Amino acid sequence: MEKIIIKDEFIKLGQALKLAGLVDSGVDAKIKINDGFVKVNGEVEYQRGKKIRPDDIIEYDGHKIRVEN
């Protein structure tokens, strides 16, 4: 499982996808999230601005990313 490190209390889902290198831009993140291709903690998430906190797991395109601080 891959990891991303955040310094704040949370990161928004679209930003987390960019930080992990899974999408090239915020527009790409928005499209993938709106189309239902992204899961957070095992459930499909449709909100690009969803607050992702440490220990949350993001799944996209065969990748699993754990958020840590």
Side-chain angles (χ1 to χ4, degrees):
M1 182 176 303
E2 301 169 52
K3 300 175 186 176
I4 59 172
I5 307 292
I6 61 172
K7 296 178 182 176
D8 296 318
E9 181 181 338
F10 66 87
I11 187 171
K12 293 182 181 178
L13 179 56
Q15 294 170 329
L17 289 174
K18 287 192 301 184
L19 180 63
L22 299 178
V23 296
D24 293 327
S25 68
V27 173
D28 287 343
K30 179 180 179 180
I31 292 168
K32 300 304 181 188
I33 293 166
N34 285 343
D35 288 348
F37 292 115
V38 180
K39 292 183 179 181
V40 175
N41 298 325
E43 296 192 21
V44 175
E45 182 56 60
Y46 295 98
Q47 297 178 48
R48 181 175 56 156
K50 166 110 175 131
K51 292 179 180 177
I52 305 299
R53 301 176 189 281
D55 295 325
D56 283 343
I57 297 175
I58 301 165
E59 297 177 56
Y60 170 69
D61 195 30
H63 297 272
K64 282 190 175 184
I65 311 298
R66 177 181 294 278
V67 178
E68 297 183 352
N69 58 0

